[in-house]
Amino acid sequence: ANDYITVEKGVDGTGADVKIKELIDHIPRKTIIINQTKYVIEAVIRKNQQIVSSNEIVHDRDEITCKLPETIESLLQALGLQQLTQQLNPFIIYLNNKSYSLNKFSGKVIKNGIEAKLSSSYEDGDVIVIERPSSPTLQEAADHLQLVLHHSIPVIFNGKKIVLQKRLTEIYRDEQLLQSEDILRHGESLKVVQKKIESFIFQDLFRHVELDLPSKGKSRFILLRNDKEIGFNDEIQPGDDLKVMWPATNPQT
């Protein structure tokens, strides 16, 4: 009762400038090791869909997001390492103009020692390795494609077990016949020639062993299969016991 109340106009103030970092208590960050190099990745700040720094001024009705890359692929892009993803392309060769993808030899993403995908997530402290593609030998590629390069049988020659081989599949780079240990190149085109399976004959033995000819004695020798005399062109079977002997001499190796 009896109070006197006066209402006066206030003094106009200055506009308040607020920075994004004043709105966010903590900007998320993670430390990741990629191919033995340590990287610190901070959350990407966007204002109205545009990437900005935490010092950007906020205006009325601005839309602000603060988000870390969610996948290994987006992480590499954010760090400027997207060129590493090119190492993950499939290893491809062309056989008689038909393409074959050798996924076993393509590059790989390894996260904490376990194979992962570019779409996989990651956590603070993860160790990520982007493996380069490996270059397979012809034999390794053939095994992967279930392509049989040789037909082989085991035999015994002068008491020792050996394996006789014949080419079943010939593979050429240009005009050069490739050997099992030759290294293949990504994207190259090769020619494949399939051969018929042929029986082994005694003469095939001499492509796999060397004979020590006797320094003295007759030059005539005999061929034995399971202790029975045969000729050069006679067929042999897996497990046969083969010998080359000179009359009045011991078996030669």
Side-chain angles (χ1 to χ4, degrees), residues 37 39 59 91-92 190 210 215 217 223 231:
T37 300
Y39 296 90
H59 299 97
F91 189 98
I92 294 176
L190 304 172
E210 294 183 2
S215 57
L223 311 178

Side-chain angles (χ1 to χ4, degrees), residues 16 25 51 59 104 121 123 137 140 167 183 232:
D25 293 334
I51 297 177
H59 299 97
K104 178 180 178 181
S121 61
E123 299 298 336
T137 64
E140 289 172 332
R167 285 188 180 273
I183 302 297
F232 275 105

Side-chain angles (χ1 to χ4, degrees), residues 33-50:
I33 296 176
I34 301 175
N35 287 3
Q36 301 182 343
T37 300
K38 182 183 291 186
Y39 296 90
V40 177
I41 181 72
E42 285 192 345
V44 176
I45 300 173
R46 283 184 168 84
K47 185 178 81 169
N48 303 325
Q49 309 299 323
Q50 300 296 319

Side-chain angles (χ1 to χ4, degrees), residues 151-153 164-166 198-201 204 234-236:
H151 169 46
S152 61
I153 64 169
L164 306 184
Q165 284 189 341
K166 284 187 177 182
E198 296 180 351
S199 299
F200 285 86
I201 59 176
D204 294 323
D234 286 341
E235 188 175 329
I236 58 176

Side-chain angles (χ1 to χ4, degrees), residues 94-97 170-178 182 184-185 187-193:
Y94 294 87
L95 302 179
N96 293 349
N97 298 320
E170 294 181 341
I171 298 183
Y172 293 85
R173 175 186 289 143
D174 297 326
E175 299 301 321
Q176 178 188 0
L177 176 62
L178 296 182
D182 286 335
L184 301 187
R185 300 188 291 261
E188 70 176 332
S189 183
L190 304 172
K191 179 182 177 182
V192 179
V193 177

Side-chain angles (χ1 to χ4, degrees), residues 16-247:
D17 289 336
V18 179
K19 297 180 179 180
I20 292 177
K21 64 182 179 181
E22 298 176 54
L23 299 177
I24 303 173
D25 293 334
H26 172 69
I27 297 178
R29 64 172 57 186
K30 292 181 180 180
T31 300
I32 308 293
I33 296 176
I34 301 175
N35 287 3
Q36 301 182 343
T37 300
K38 182 183 291 186
Y39 296 90
V40 177
I41 181 72
E42 285 192 345
V44 176
I45 300 173
R46 283 184 168 84
K47 185 178 81 169
N48 303 325
Q49 309 299 323
Q50 300 296 319
I51 297 177
V52 296
S53 73
S54 60
N55 290 317
E56 186 79 7
I57 300 298
V58 178
H59 299 97
D60 187 34
R61 299 184 184 279
D62 277 345
E63 180 181 346
I64 309 297
T65 60
C66 181
K67 192 176 183 181
L68 278 165
E70 295 181 348
T71 66
I72 293 176
E73 184 173 21
S74 59
L75 169 66
L76 295 175
Q77 292 174 347
L79 293 172
L81 301 174
Q82 57 267 28
Q83 75 276 5
L84 292 178
T85 62
Q86 298 175 4
Q87 300 180 13
L88 304 176
N89 293 332
F91 189 98
I92 294 176
I93 59 173
Y94 294 87
L95 302 179
N96 293 349
N97 298 320
K98 183 178 179 181
S99 66
Y100 293 84
S101 179
L102 308 182
N103 295 327
K104 178 180 178 181
F105 307 101
S106 302
K108 295 180 177 61
V109 179
I110 307 297
K111 183 180 72 172
N112 302 327
I114 300 175
E115 187 171 350
K117 298 180 179 180
L118 284 175
S119 58
S120 299
S121 61
Y122 64 96
E123 299 298 336
D124 185 46
D126 278 351
V127 177
I128 297 173
V129 177
I130 308 298
E131 288 188 351
R132 294 179 177 274
S134 58
S135 298
T137 64
L138 175 60
Q139 186 64 62
E140 289 172 332
D143 291 344
H144 184 73
L145 296 172
Q146 298 182 340
L147 188 63
V148 180
L149 298 180
H150 298 93
H151 169 46
S152 61
I153 64 169
V155 296
I156 298 173
F157 175 62
N158 289 348
K160 295 182 180 180
K161 183 177 179 179
I162 63 173
V163 176
L164 306 184
Q165 284 189 341
K166 284 187 177 182
R167 285 188 180 273
L168 191 58
T169 304
E170 294 181 341
I171 298 183
Y172 293 85
R173 175 186 289 143
D174 297 326
E175 299 301 321
Q176 178 188 0
L177 176 62
L178 296 182
Q179 305 301 317
S180 298
E181 65 276 10
D182 286 335
I183 302 297
L184 301 187
R185 300 188 291 261
H186 169 65
E188 70 176 332
S189 183
L190 304 172
K191 179 182 177 182
V192 179
V193 177
Q194 294 289 152
K195 304 186 74 174
K196 294 181 179 180
I197 296 179
E198 296 180 351
S199 299
F200 285 86
I201 59 176
F202 200 106
Q203 187 171 332
D204 294 323
L205 175 69
F206 298 108
R207 294 187 291 106
H208 296 80
V209 300
E210 294 183 2
L211 295 179
D212 292 329
L213 299 177
S215 57
K216 296 181 180 180
K218 300 178 180 179
S219 60
R220 179 182 176 276
F221 55 85
I222 59 175
L223 311 178
L224 298 178
R225 181 189 63 199
N226 303 325
D227 295 325
K228 294 182 179 180
E229 187 172 354
I230 64 171
F232 275 105
N233 295 320
D234 286 341
E235 188 175 329
I236 58 176
Q237 300 293 333
D240 277 349
D241 185 1
L242 309 177
K243 296 176 183 177
V244 178
M245 299 185 65
W246 282 260

